[in-house]
Amino acid sequence: MALLVLLLLLVAGPALAANTLQSVSASPLPGGKVQLTLTFSGAAVAPQAFSTNTPPRIAMDFAATSNGLAQRSYTINQGTAQSVSAVEANGRTRVVVNLSQPSPYVTSVRGNQLLVTIGDGMESATASADPRQGTALAPVPPPPQSQRSLAIATANPDKSVAMAGSNVITGVDFQRTDHGAGKLVIDFTQSGAATSMHTQGDTTTIDVAGANLAASQARRLDVTSYATPVRSINTHAVPGGARIDVDTRGVVQTAAYQTGNEYVVEFSRPKSEDTNLLGAPKPIVYKGSRVTFNFQDIPVRSVLQLLADVSNLNIVASDSVQGNVTLRLVNVPWDQALDVILRAKGLAKRQNGNVIWVAPQTEIAKYEQNIADAREKQLNSAQLVTDYIPINYGSAKEIADLLTSGAKAGNVGGGGGSTSAERGFLSPRGSVSYDERTNTLLVNDTPEKVQEIRQLVSVLDRPVKQVLIESRLVIATDNFTRELGARLGVGGFHVGTNSRHAQFYGGGIGDNAFGPGTGIGTSETSVTNYWNSLLGQSTNSTGSNTVQIPSGLNVNLPSTTTGSSGFAVGILGRDYLLNLELSAAQQEGRSETISQPKVVTANNQEATIQQGQQIGYLTFQNSGAGGGLGTATVQFKNAVLELDVTPTITSDNRVFMKLKVIKDAISALVPNPGGGFVPQIDHREIDTSVLVDNGQTVVLGGVYEFTNEHDVTKVPFLGDIPILGALFRDKKNINNKAELLVFITPHILGQETTVE
């Protein structure tokens, strides 16, 4: 029987492993790419491949293939590829490529070799040639005008490599797994699609570079009825590729992998036994089969043997585990019984697979400390490598300061590392410097630390979002004035019949009665003498000294409003004169001033825009000391429209703004005692902070002024007479309204927002 089994194994061995991985080599390509060559003993086949973002890796599974490499891991350090490792298990071999950042890749078979071409990061994957004949593509919107100049300024033409050929997204499907998770399946026409995924709030965004979107797939899927954490999926084309926005609810875990022409993303709820939403550990839930123990002074090692039999696990007890224990447990899970016994005897456990190691707490702590010390010694003795990391959007100096709190640049064009105990993200022997001219980081550290720093830089070195702030200031005024006035004059002359005298009445004190220079009350000569002298001359044929009736006004209260209209009546008799003039005016005015300043700024960066004028005026110093005007000095006052804003984009795509809006205007010019005029400014200002949704308009505030004025000028007593009193008074009504409103609208650029 033994010989038969051995014969079967000898026959089946070659069948189980029909191919062998013999060697792995790497060679650099233009544009920052690298090509891996995997050589097999037989004909190479396309592997089942997938990629991960955290940590960035490419995994390839080869069925019926054995591992014939001399080493388990090979260091590459070319492009984004850091190292390659191969492991064989159950008749298949898995090859894992460790990357410094997520990168696109393409596999191709050439005889007994498999070629893997790896791009220089996701940003290098661009739109490629026309897709396959007969596939309708979704229209691709052009990039916003505000982002075109930014793309031209920051893009490196040397890194523009089309990795995906004529790849097309032909299907975006959603499924529900057996355990209630959501499964998003993206189908491509070719393998090796360049994808990247990031989560912000309740939205998970999947960016696909270098692949066109079929027109039939540009749609929105409502998957609420599937009872998964996913609510909807929105697929649309973007410049250079496509974007898929997945709307989720609650806390969601994501897992992505790529196999062949499919990219699969699973959305699931976190396990209940991990942690709660606040991060605190949840109570331990025991799930072991229940046992009942009732022992008096039984050795601890014997109890552990019983628990090993019940749990079907291997329990290894340290030699220092000694002593007896008395316990009575009824219907208790075996794992809970184990924890109770360990706590009672000061023991601890560590589980690896189906093996549990039990030892005193101090012994386990010492063992783990020894491992940590050995790891630290290994890091201290590891060979240091130097890596150069280009920075695209940030500042190499600022990132170097973040990596180590002690590294400070002392000269222009470069900076040295620090030997301080505060090492930040570096190892005790690591150092970091930078070059301002090329904006490049120079890192000298162990390979593991260099890999961590590259991943950190890929997270930090991202373009800063920009915000367009659009404001409107509306100043509206409404003026109304109405005035009624009157002028009244009565004058007369009467000759007495029984005596030689004359009587005059009416007019004012200074009104003329007998020609120029005379008037009632101003002449010192008696009225009788005037009459005696004039009576004899009245018969003069020329009539040059004919008596004139006074023409003054008794009431002079006309309308003073500009543009008044009047109506006058005069009655003239032989010896009297009556003058009556009624005047009225009404003015209505409405005005509206709209100011609309706009400014574009980066996230968390203050921006200021001003428009207006500076008004100059003269002031005099030391005036009066010598009798002169003194020294003249020119000063200026601003009458401008100003907008100061500092926007902050929140994680849920809203904008928090710290705002200051000023609107000044010239009100009047006040005479200066020393000469000239000093401007009087109408000042309007609002200083506030507000949180606004992207593209939403909010009214920051407003000022409403209302003036109601009623003025009456009249002759006492006579002006109060009903009806006739209107001839003895002037009445004026003024109603003025003024209103100021401030509107603010933020727009986050680059999110398909069109601002006209």
Side-chain angles (χ1 to χ4, degrees), residues 344-363:
K345 302 300 293 182
L347 304 175
K349 67 176 180 179
R350 294 294 183 267
Q351 184 172 356
N352 185 6
N354 64 343
V355 178
I356 299 177
W357 175 40
V358 177
Q361 295 179 357
T362 56
E363 183 177 339

Side-chain angles (χ1 to χ4, degrees), residues 645-703:
V645 57
T646 304
T648 300
I649 302 175
T650 62
S651 59
D652 55 352
N653 265 0
R654 295 195 289 178
V655 182
F656 177 80
M657 296 176 291
K658 186 177 181 182
L659 290 157
K660 185 177 181 180
V661 183
I662 300 176
K663 179 68 170 71
D664 293 340
I666 302 176
S667 175
L669 296 175
V670 180
N672 190 350
F677 297 90
V678 176
Q680 181 177 347
I681 305 297
D682 284 340
H683 182 69
R684 305 174 182 90
E685 178 179 345
I686 183 170
D687 192 346
T688 184
S689 299
V690 64
L691 179 64
V692 187
D693 290 337
N694 180 27
Q696 182 184 25
T697 301
V698 63
V699 181
L700 292 182
V703 178

Side-chain angles (χ1 to χ4, degrees), residues 61-279:
D61 290 338
F62 298 91
T65 302
S66 61
N67 182 15
L69 300 179
Q71 300 178 196
R72 181 175 179 179
S73 179
Y74 292 87
T75 302
I76 298 177
N77 289 334
Q78 296 181 12
T80 59
Q82 299 297 304
S83 62
V84 177
S85 60
V87 178
E88 178 186 356
N90 298 328
R92 66 172 57 206
T93 298
R94 169 169 291 185
V95 178
V96 178
V97 183
N98 297 313
L99 307 175
S100 60
Q101 59 178 314
S103 304
Y105 66 96
V106 175
T107 60
S108 61
V109 177
R110 184 184 299 171
N112 65 336
Q113 292 183 340
L114 176 69
L115 305 180
V116 183
T117 304
I118 303 175
D120 186 20
M122 286 302 179
E123 67 274 7
S124 64
T126 58
S128 55
D130 294 337
R132 297 180 305 173
Q133 185 71 21
T135 303
L137 299 180
V140 178
Q145 184 66 31
S146 60
Q147 297 241 341
R148 292 176 187 170
S149 60
L150 178 64
I152 294 174
T154 58
N156 187 353
D158 296 337
K159 296 185 178 181
S160 300
V161 181
M163 294 297 302
S166 57
N167 211 351
V168 180
I169 301 176
T170 58
V172 178
D173 191 17
F174 184 79
Q175 304 170 5
R176 186 180 188 275
T177 62
D178 296 336
H179 52 277
K183 184 177 180 181
L184 176 63
V185 181
I186 306 173
D187 295 325
F188 297 89
T189 57
Q190 297 180 4
S191 60
T195 59
S196 63
M197 180 176 62
H198 63 275
T199 302
Q200 192 171 27
D202 290 339
T203 303
T204 299
T205 302
I206 303 172
D207 292 321
V208 182
N212 296 292
L213 179 65
S216 60
Q217 301 303 318
R219 57 184 178 174
R220 182 181 183 274
L221 301 178
D222 187 356
V223 294
T224 307
S225 59
Y226 282 75
T228 66
V230 181
R231 290 185 291 188
S232 63
I233 301 171
N234 186 16
T235 306
H236 54 277
V238 296
R243 175 171 296 174
I244 303 173
D245 295 325
V246 182
D247 186 14
T248 60
R249 54 185 174 185
V251 182
V252 177
Q253 290 181 344
T254 58
Y257 59 91
Q258 192 169 3
T259 170
N261 296 352
E262 291 184 349
Y263 182 75
V264 181
V265 184
E266 290 189 1
F267 301 87
S268 61
R269 298 290 186 192
K271 297 181 180 179
S272 59
E273 60 268 17
D274 291 344
T275 56
N276 57 19
L277 295 179
L278 298 180

Side-chain angles (χ1 to χ4, degrees), residues 634-653:
V634 180
Q635 296 187 4
F636 294 89
K637 279 191 175 181
N638 290 332
V640 299
L641 168 65
E642 180 178 349
L643 171 64
D644 298 334
V645 57
T646 304
T648 300
I649 302 175
T650 62
S651 59
D652 55 352
N653 265 0

Side-chain angles (χ1 to χ4, degrees), residues 310-351:
V310 173
S311 62
N312 292 326
L313 295 177
N314 301 312
I315 298 180
V316 179
S318 175
D319 294 339
S320 55
V321 176
Q322 300 294 333
N324 298 339
V325 64
T326 299
L327 70 156
R328 183 178 183 275
L329 301 175
V330 179
N331 198 21
V332 176
W334 70 263
D335 46 358
Q336 183 178 4
L338 177 60
D339 287 347
V340 170
I341 295 171
L342 296 179
R343 285 197 300 268
K345 302 300 293 182
L347 304 175
K349 67 176 180 179
R350 294 294 183 267
Q351 184 172 356

